[in-house]
Amino acid sequence: MTSVHPAFEAGARPRPLAAPWLRVYQRGLVTLDAAILALCLLVSAALATPERAELHGVAFSVVATLVAALWWAANGLTRSYEARFLGDGPEEFKRVAQAAVRTAAIVGVACYILKLPLARDFVAVFLPVGTVGLLVGRLLARAALRHNKKVGRWRHRVVLVGAPDRVVELGGLLARQPAAGYTVAGVCLPKASAAVGWPLLGDTSTVAQSA
């Protein structure tokens, strides 16, 4: 069960600003997934029996590449690169697994309908190895992300919104947890509130303009 810090319950909340590094990280994940699938493709194709080098007149290498491309696209369709799922929690890994299941289902149905012998000697190796490879890749990428957040390279800039005492409480919490990856860019407080140590970007009625 997810717990909520009292500062959030009382109305103080962080509003993230655009993080340029996030797009770099997302593009890196897309490239990493492609590299892992390409490597798994080569290993699996090498294990395919020679008599199946051609399937219904189509080169086996073409069919295998299409399967890998389908899987790569499925990772995007399951939103495994979406920012809110990256860096924390199990949802990112669930979506990578969902992409693998969907790819297996599509390939299995295609092999059955078209009578392709692909599922027995290629997919049986490619899907398990590829799934493990993608999940391990995401684990390593997440470890790199957390390290960069902790040392201050990749961080989310946020605006804290709420009552002064709760803003101070939440700001202190974020400062004590650098691995969470948040830097306070400023605050929005109710009108006539005292300064709290961060740039005042407006009152709580101007949150939309400030963020």
Side-chain angles (χ1 to χ4, degrees):
M1 183 175 180
T2 303
S3 60
V4 180
H5 191 271
F8 286 96
E9 295 176 344
R13 59 194 186 278
R15 296 181 61 93
L17 302 176
W21 61 263
L22 184 56
R23 290 190 179 277
V24 175
Y25 181 71
Q26 288 171 315
R27 287 195 293 267
L29 285 181
V30 173
T31 303
L32 176 64
D33 285 353
I36 290 172
L37 288 174
L39 178 60
C40 294
L41 173 65
L42 292 175
V43 172
S44 303
L47 298 177
T49 51
E51 62 270 20
R52 289 172 186 169
E54 191 172 277
L55 302 175
H56 289 238
V58 180
F60 175 81
S61 59
V62 173
V63 178
T65 302
L66 288 175
V67 173
L70 171 66
W71 195 346
W72 192 36
N75 277 329
L77 293 175
T78 58
R79 299 188 296 169
S80 71
Y81 304 114
E82 195 165 311
R84 59 176 171 158
F85 302 133
L86 302 179
D88 190 38
E91 192 62 31
E92 176 184 1
F93 302 105
K94 288 181 181 179
R95 291 176 181 274
V96 171
Q98 287 173 5
V101 171
R102 292 180 183 182
T103 302
I106 293 172
V107 172
V109 170
C111 287
Y112 176 78
I113 293 176
L114 301 176
K115 305 301 182 184
L116 297 177
L118 187 62
R120 190 167 57 204
D121 59 359
F122 172 72
V123 178
V125 176
F126 185 45
L127 286 173
V129 173
T131 301
V132 172
L134 289 173
L135 292 173
V136 170
R138 292 301 182 100
L139 279 172
L140 295 176
R142 179 171 292 193
L145 173 62
R146 289 181 173 175
H147 172 73
N148 279 284
K149 283 183 175 182
K150 190 171 183 178
V151 300
R153 293 195 190 101
W154 291 352
R155 302 182 68 82
H156 288 287
R157 297 175 66 246
V158 296
V159 175
L160 300 185
V161 182
D165 57 337
R166 296 305 184 184
V167 163
V168 170
E169 184 180 1
L170 179 55
L173 175 67
L174 296 179
R176 292 192 300 272
Q177 297 181 354
Y182 291 104
T183 297
V184 179
V187 298
C188 287
L189 306 173
K191 291 182 179 179
S193 297
V196 293
W198 292 285
L200 181 63
L201 303 180
D203 58 54
T204 51
S205 65
T206 62
V207 171
Q209 289 83 354
S210 298

